Amino acid sequence: MKKIPMRMCVNCQQMYPKKELIRIVKRASDGVIVIDKNGKISGKGAYICHNKECIRAVIKDNKLERHLGNKIPDEIYKELEELLIE
Ligand SMILES: [Zn+2]
């Protein structure tokens, strides 16, 4: 059996398979905060599950900022808000 990498959602603290989470990463090469859609960008990451409550809480409470130690660009929040509409 292949081991599935698990990561914790920054809001609900539940463990999920890495692939099912939204990964926000502080890119190692330039320190820019981006949404990593393919899980290929190296850097310090924070994960959010697809639960709308979690996405909302993360936007509202600046949880990403605390996890990544950086100001989160507005575009990131906009992209997350778009996920709420889908
Ligand atoms: Zn969650």
Side-chain angles (χ1 to χ4, degrees):
M1 211 176 80
K2 218 180 150 197
K3 212 177 156 218
I4 301 165
M6 303 288 279
R7 293 291 183 276
M8 194 171 70
C9 168
V10 296
N11 185 62
C12 63
Q13 321 263 295
Q14 297 281 323
M15 300 297 285
Y16 292 94
K18 205 176 156 193
K19 280 185 182 159
E20 288 177 20
L21 296 164
I22 303 159
R23 180 173 188 242
I24 317 292
V25 60
K26 182 176 168 185
R27 201 158 52 194
S29 54
D30 54 12
V32 174
I33 308 277
V34 291
I35 296 182
D36 181 12
K37 298 208 167 81
N38 305 309
K40 299 244 162 67
I41 300 169
S42 64
K44 185 174 160 54
Y47 296 84
I48 316 166
C49 71
H50 283 272
N51 187 326
K52 292 195 173 179
E53 293 306 314
C54 287
I55 299 175
R56 243 178 242 129
V58 161
I59 296 170
K60 194 167 143 270
D61 302 339
N62 291 326
K63 281 183 200 288
L64 290 174
E65 237 164 84
R66 251 174 281 144
H67 271 263
L68 299 174
N70 261 63
K71 178 111 182 63
I72 308 300
D74 289 344
E75 303 93 79
I76 301 289
Y77 286 128
K78 266 187 213 129
E79 279 195 58
L80 290 175
E81 275 167 17
E82 276 163 29
L83 293 171
L84 288 172
I85 300 160
E86 273 170 25

